[in-house]
Every structure is written in C-alpha cells, then in structure tokens.
Amino acid sequence: MKIILQQDEKKLGKKGDIVEVSDGFARNYILPKKIGVEATPANMNDLKLRKANNEKVAQEQLDAAKAMADRLESRIVEVKIKAGEGGKTFGSVSAKEISTALKDQHGIEIDKKKLQLPEALKALGSYEISVRLHPQVTGRLTVKVTT
C-alpha cells in the first residue's frame, strides 16, 4: 500500500514522502496513529498543491530577506556608550542595544539573535555587522559607537 507521510517517521521517511508499506502495517499502525494517509489521487493532488504553496511561500520569504538586506546596506545606526577620559569605554555595546537603536532610528525591527557581532564592541568608532536574515541571505549593517 502506498502511504503519504503526514509527519517525519524514523525508518520510513520525512513529511510529504510517498512510501510503500505492507497493508497490515498501514492499517494497524500508520493510519490509526495518523502518521500518514493512503495515497489516493485526491490525496496526491492535495500533496502537490501543498508543496507548490510551500515553495511559493519560501520564495516570498527569500525575496523579502533580500529586500531587507538592501535596506540595511545604506543604514548607519548610532549607539551611544559612556566613556571616560582618553576614550576608555565603560562596558560594551550588545546586540540588544543595536537592535533597539535600529528600531528607534530607522523603524526597522530585527531580532537581536540575527545580529552577528564578531567581538564585543568596546571601543568608539564604526563597525560592520553582519545580519543573518535568511539561511541564504546575509546583510551588512554599519554601527557607529559614540559617546
């Protein structure tokens, strides 16, 4: 019997795969536990439509990430930090502070976990920060640390 898997199952396959299993295994295990459904023409068509929709959504997310990367390229975020005599700073600038400053100054909301700081920003000056917007898209953001 051919089965379309509804969820990942160890030793059978991943969600959306079409697998051939014995009739007893399908009737007694897979169908009652709703791990999969029988591969009827209607279910096969539903699977094809679902895959096409998922591909469309993934492409839209990729395009949105590329557009956001282009918007970030031209932006400069200014973060203020306390400094003593001789330019010695107290503490460092965190990803959370950069994310908050980006939202306040430019109205762009980015999760702090997406910001990849090479090291702690403990000195005054400008830094290039990479922003992981999508598994295939990484943007660049300029952060200016001032007093």
Side-chain angles (χ1 to χ4, degrees), residues 52-64 134 136:
N53 187 34
N54 289 343
E55 288 174 6
K56 181 182 173 194
V57 168
Q59 185 62 40
E60 288 174 356
Q61 289 175 344
L62 179 63
D63 293 342
H134 188 271
Q136 300 171 356

Side-chain angles (χ1 to χ4, degrees), residues 42-143:
N43 289 338
M44 295 288 283
N45 191 33
D46 288 345
L47 175 67
K48 188 167 74 171
L49 291 173
R50 213 174 313 128
K51 282 186 177 181
N53 187 34
N54 289 343
E55 288 174 6
K56 181 182 173 194
V57 168
Q59 185 62 40
E60 288 174 356
Q61 289 175 344
L62 179 63
D63 293 342
K66 286 180 180 177
M68 179 64 76
D70 290 340
R71 284 179 58 195
L72 288 176
E73 290 289 330
S74 62
R75 309 286 182 181
I76 296 176
V77 178
E78 190 171 319
V79 180
K80 295 190 184 293
I81 188 171
K82 290 184 180 181
E85 294 179 21
K88 179 88 171 136
T89 60
F90 301 117
S92 64
V93 177
S94 67
K96 182 177 180 181
E97 292 170 330
I98 296 170
S99 177
T100 305
L102 183 63
K103 183 179 178 189
D104 293 343
Q105 294 172 18
H106 301 289
I108 299 173
E109 234 179 290
I110 291 186
D111 187 22
K112 66 180 182 178
K113 295 174 187 162
K114 294 184 178 184
L115 298 174
Q116 297 176 327
L117 300 176
E119 71 272 340
L121 307 180
K122 293 185 177 184
L124 303 176
S126 292
Y127 297 92
E128 285 284 322
I129 305 296
S130 61
V131 183
R132 191 88 171 144
L133 298 168
H134 188 271
Q136 300 171 356
V137 179
T138 302
R140 306 289 297 166
L141 176 66
T142 304
V143 177

Side-chain angles (χ1 to χ4, degrees), residues 1-21 25-26 29-31 34-39 43-44 47 50-51:
M1 179 182 286
K2 286 191 176 193
I3 298 290
I4 300 172
L5 294 177
Q6 298 292 331
Q7 63 191 33
D8 291 352
E9 182 66 23
K10 196 181 276 188
K11 297 182 182 175
L12 277 181
K14 299 205 178 281
K15 179 179 179 178
D17 287 351
I18 300 170
V19 294
E20 181 76 34
V21 296
F25 185 57
Y29 181 74
I30 292 175
L31 297 176
K34 301 200 186 324
I35 294 170
V37 294
E38 191 174 348
N43 289 338
M44 295 288 283
L47 175 67
R50 213 174 313 128
K51 282 186 177 181

